[in-house]
């Protein structure tokens, strides 16, 4: 009987190893663009910040780039900076002036870019932001943030996707949407910006399903606090010291530890060439948030799925502890700033009891 159980144990182990090996071999990231060598990378919001660093890194890896932005002088400056730093052929850089919120302008810019060279990688990076309590945000700023971050992304995709689909079966391609840590974790005092970045995550996840039948990879990147002009603009937009203090504590923000945009660019392009559906650039904290907010769509590989399952419960517990701290900070700040302190009892003047009578006693009339 013992021999039979030993045989069953051995067979079970062999079957388990076989199944795991099979899953490891077939369930892995789909790399549609394995190298950027001689590929055309189109980047919206490419004149500064992360977009500009993506362009530099892409050219360093041998690609051609198209930069799209609103300001022609900044675009020319960005192109000059790339040429100076990388000493590359100027024919590797194409610049197009367009506001992503203007459908006609972005449509013309993208179509002309495809005519210059078929696009292999589309990176939707254009974005703006501002901080402040939602009720204090001006209508103009709300329209600007929502228009650029959401509408601008949708307009870009609406124009580019039909063209990419036409050639995708013979020419695999990829697109990447740049979100933010705000796509995974609400940024206190940045309600409008957070809303738009959650929306970008939703667009990316939906495109993973819609583009599944096509040979187009979809990636989503979540940078943390990156040393860019946008980060400075977000800081400068905070006029309430109380908001700034709470936001800094609950988001664990430290400007001195802001991410290097060049490092972020490498991670983003690495997601494209490695076929990763979602990457967080802000170290272990970003990876933790990425696992906690993964949603229902499957992991990129069997190994990732196993890690997700094992890590889910401890990370969820850690998440509860962290969000408990966040609530405590917000509540203490709210109580301190909004609950008035009652004056001490002895400071309230007490009138003589006799003065409380409406009429004098009858004896006084005698």
């Amino acid at each position: 009987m013992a021999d039979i159980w030993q045989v069953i144990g051995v067979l079970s182990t062999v079957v388990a190893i076989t199944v795991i090996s099979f899953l490891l071999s077939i369930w892995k990231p789909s790399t549609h663009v394995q190298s950027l060598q001689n590929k055309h990378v189109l980047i919206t919001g490419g004149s500064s910040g992360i977009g500009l660093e993506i362009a530099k890194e892409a050219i360093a890896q041998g690609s051609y780039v198209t930069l799209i932005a609103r300001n022609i002088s900044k675009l020319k400056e960005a192109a000059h900076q790339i040429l100076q730093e990388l000493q590359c052929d100027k024919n590797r850089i194409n610049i197009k002036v367009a506001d992503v919120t203007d459908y006609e302008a972005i449509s013309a810019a993208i179509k002309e870019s495809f005519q210059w060279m078929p696009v292999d990688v589309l990176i939707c990076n254009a974005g703006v932001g501002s901080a402040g309590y939602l009720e204090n945000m001006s209508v103009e700023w709300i329209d600007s943030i929502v228009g650029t971050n959401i509408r601008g992304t949708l307009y870009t995709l609406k124009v580019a996707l039909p063209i990419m689909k036409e050639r995708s079966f013979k020419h695999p391609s990829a697109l990447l949407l740049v979100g933010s840590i705000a796509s995974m974790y609400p940024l206190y005092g940045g309600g409008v910006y957070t809303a738009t970045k959650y929306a970008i995550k939703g667009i990316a996840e939906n495109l993973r399903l819609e583009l599944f039948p096509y040979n187009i990879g979809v990636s989503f990147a979540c940078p943390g606090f990156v040393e860019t002009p946008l980060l400075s603009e977000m800081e400068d937009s905070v006029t309430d010291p109380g908001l700034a203090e709470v936001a800094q504590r609950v988001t664990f923000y430290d400007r001195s530890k802001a991410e290097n945009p060049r490092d972020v660019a490498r991670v983003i392009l690495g997601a494209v060439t490695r076929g990763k559906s979602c990457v967080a650039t802000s170290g272990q904290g970003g990876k933790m948030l990425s696992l906690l907010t993964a949603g229902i769509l499957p992991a990129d590989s069997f190994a990732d799925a196993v890690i997700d399952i094992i890590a889910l419960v401890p990370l969820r517990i850690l998440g509860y502890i962290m969000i408990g701290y966040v609530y405590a900070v917000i509540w203490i700040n709210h109580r301190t700033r909004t609950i008035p302190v009652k004056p001490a009892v002895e400071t309230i003047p007490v009138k003589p009891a006799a003065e409380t009578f409406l009429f004098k006693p009858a004896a006084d009339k005698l």
Side-chain angles (χ1 to χ4, degrees):
M1 181 64 70
D3 292 341
I4 293 176
W5 283 113
Q6 286 180 354
V7 171
I8 292 174
V10 171
L11 289 175
S12 299
T13 302
V14 171
V15 170
I17 293 174
T18 302
V19 171
I20 292 173
S21 299
F22 176 71
L23 290 172
L24 285 171
S25 65
I26 66 168
W27 187 356
K28 55 186 178 181
S30 300
T31 51
H32 295 81
V33 179
Q34 297 181 9
S35 170
L36 295 179
Q37 185 69 35
N38 294 323
K39 297 293 192 298
H40 180 196
V41 180
L42 186 152
I43 308 162
T44 63
S47 63
S48 64
I50 295 175
L52 176 56
E53 295 303 326
I54 292 174
K56 292 178 182 178
E57 183 62 26
I59 289 180
Q61 295 185 30
S63 69
Y64 296 81
V65 299
T66 291
L67 306 179
I68 298 179
R70 293 177 294 184
N71 190 304
I72 182 60
S73 61
K74 288 185 177 180
L75 276 171
K76 289 181 178 179
E77 182 182 342
H80 179 72
Q81 186 176 334
I82 293 172
L83 291 173
Q84 288 292 105
E85 287 188 20
L86 301 179
Q87 297 295 309
C88 63
D89 189 335
K90 64 179 181 179
N91 293 326
R92 285 189 171 272
I93 306 172
N94 178 39
I95 60 174
K96 290 291 177 182
V97 180
D99 185 339
V100 291
T101 64
D102 183 338
Y103 180 74
E104 297 300 327
I106 191 63
S107 178
I110 289 175
K111 289 177 180 178
E112 290 169 6
S113 298
F114 271 92
Q115 292 172 358
W116 181 66
M117 182 179 292
V119 174
D120 300 290
V121 179
L122 170 65
I123 297 181
C124 296
N125 170 71
V128 297
S130 182
Y133 290 119
L134 182 58
E135 67 271 22
N136 296 331
M137 296 287 288
S138 68
V139 172
E140 291 76 18
W141 256 116
I142 292 174
D143 288 343
S144 176
I145 297 171
V146 172
T148 302
N149 297 2
I150 300 179
R151 202 151 37 87
T153 299
L154 292 173
Y155 285 175
T156 300
L157 293 168
K158 175 178 172 55
V159 178
L161 284 179
I163 308 174
M164 295 176 75
K165 284 182 177 180
E166 285 180 3
R167 60 189 302 274
S168 64
F169 289 106
K170 291 184 178 180
H171 303 279
S173 55
L175 63 89
L176 182 141
L177 276 60
V178 178
S180 164
I181 190 174
S183 303
M184 306 181 291
Y185 181 82
L187 296 185
Y188 184 88
V192 179
Y193 180 76
T194 297
T196 62
K197 290 304 180 177
Y198 266 79
I200 296 300
K201 181 182 180 183
I203 294 169
E205 290 182 345
N206 203 69
L207 286 176
R208 282 183 64 188
L209 301 178
E210 291 187 8
L211 298 179
F212 175 71
Y214 298 88
N215 210 3
I216 303 175
V218 179
S219 299
F220 177 62
C222 297
F225 298 109
V226 186
E227 192 59 62
T228 61
L230 177 60
L231 185 60
S232 298
E233 291 170 8
M234 293 282 282
E235 275 191 349
D236 295 341
S237 67
V238 180
T239 57
D240 183 339
L243 184 153
E245 179 185 355
V246 176
Q248 185 172 355
R249 293 177 64 187
V250 301
T251 60
F252 310 97
Y253 173 67
D254 183 350
R255 182 65 182 262
S256 66
K257 297 180 180 178
E259 298 176 60
N260 186 312
R262 180 63 65 89
D263 295 336
V264 171
R266 291 192 184 101
V267 174
I268 287 175
L269 290 177
V272 173
T273 56
R274 291 185 293 115
K276 301 292 289 183
S277 61
C278 180
V279 292
T281 67
S282 51
Q284 296 302 318
K287 291 179 181 178
M288 182 190 80
L289 288 173
S290 180
L291 288 172
L292 280 173
T293 60
I296 196 171
L297 293 184
D300 293 325
S301 67
F302 178 70
D304 288 339
V306 172
I307 293 172
D308 287 355
I309 294 170
I310 294 173
L312 183 59
V313 172
L315 283 179
R316 194 62 179 166
I317 294 171
L318 182 59
Y320 279 126
I321 296 172
M322 182 178 72
I323 209 66
Y325 160 79
V326 169
Y327 274 118
V329 170
I330 294 172
W331 177 247
I332 292 171
N333 175 75
H334 174 75
R335 296 280 296 185
T336 303
R337 298 181 65 200
T338 62
I339 307 299
V341 179
K342 294 182 179 180
V345 175
E346 55 268 23
T347 63
I348 300 176
V350 180
K351 295 181 180 181
E355 294 181 11
T356 62
F357 287 99
L358 183 60
F359 301 103
K360 291 183 179 180
D364 291 344
K365 297 180 180 179
L366 297 177

